[in-house]
Amino acid sequence: MKIAVYPGSFDPVTNGHLDIIKRSAKIFDKVIICILNNSSKKSPLFSIDERVNMLRGVVSELDNVIVDTSDGLLVDYAKEQGACVIIRGLRQIADFDVELQMAQGNRLANPDVETLFMATDPKFSFISSSMVREFMNYGRTVEGFVPDEILPILREKIGGH
Ligand code: PNS
């Protein structure tokens, strides 16, 4: 069974994330979305539980996708789960430097786990969770940026439109 881990902060999940998840689910027998709790990013907008609930809601129709969390190293988590692949989406060239460094660091830590990059669909390449949070901060709509199902949760969080 080929298991892939799709890691991230998902603060919150975007349509770009969801597209990568759906495409990965067609390739792998099982895809584990892992919300990392020890990311260098401080002060997340959404708690881990909120992020888990949002993600579980948006992947509920995908039978081979599960949502989990970890506060360890990503490669250790992948090994524990029997995953052979870490999936990362690449939106634009700016992502590449940081992603390459992370993939090479992870490879050094565990050469049995491969990092595979998936090119983001161009229609989502400008979307990031930080842009969503910024728009929400200023009360602007994030419709089209995130799955429709989570719009009410985002609105409730900070009263955006
Ligand atoms: O969606 P993000 O915030 O870009 O995801 C970054 C994430 C969570 C994948 C990365 O920070 C991570 O892997 N954190 C777990 C800790 C770890 O394994 N660090 C070593 C990376 S070389």
Side-chain angles (χ1 to χ4, degrees):
M1 190 192 235
K2 293 277 183 220
I3 303 174
V5 175
Y6 180 48
S9 308
F10 304 105
D11 185 35
V13 59
T14 67
N15 281 335
H17 293 134
L18 186 56
D19 180 56
I20 299 280
I21 294 165
K22 286 180 177 167
R23 288 159 60 196
S24 303
K26 288 186 191 157
I27 300 170
F28 294 96
D29 298 308
K30 181 175 168 186
V31 175
I32 306 172
I33 303 168
C34 183
I35 305 170
L36 269 306
N37 198 13
N38 64 351
S39 158
S40 50
K41 291 161 196 170
K42 303 282 178 226
S43 317
L45 178 59
F46 293 96
S47 71
I48 288 285
D49 284 349
E50 288 173 320
R51 286 180 264 164
V52 167
N53 288 337
M54 284 191 276
L55 270 160
R56 288 211 172 123
V58 301
V59 303
S60 60
E61 311 270 278
L62 301 170
D63 292 341
N64 60 338
V65 177
I66 61 162
V67 180
D68 195 11
T69 64
S70 170
D71 46 24
L73 266 187
L74 177 55
V75 284
D76 293 340
Y77 176 82
K79 188 176 176 194
E80 278 163 29
Q81 300 298 318
C84 54
V85 165
I86 292 167
I87 300 163
R88 293 290 286 170
L90 283 183
R91 291 167 297 190
Q92 40 209 306
I93 201 70
D95 283 341
F96 185 72
D97 283 350
V98 62
E99 292 298 333
L100 181 65
Q101 188 186 29
M102 200 158 73
Q104 289 173 331
N106 284 336
R107 177 161 178 76
L108 195 68
N110 187 345
D112 294 332
V113 181
E114 295 288 355
T115 297
L116 292 189
F117 296 127
M118 189 173 282
T120 300
D121 187 305
K123 65 177 179 284
F124 301 128
S125 63
F126 68 97
I127 300 175
S128 66
S129 296
S130 55
M131 182 189 273
V132 170
R133 294 195 302 273
E134 188 84 343
F135 271 50
M136 287 171 64
N137 253 333
Y138 290 95
R140 297 296 298 261
T141 181
V142 289
E143 215 174 321
F145 290 27
V146 300
D148 286 347
E149 308 93 286
I150 71 163
L151 281 170
I153 301 168
L154 268 53
R155 285 192 192 110
E156 195 181 329
K157 188 77 178 175
I158 57 163
H161 307 293

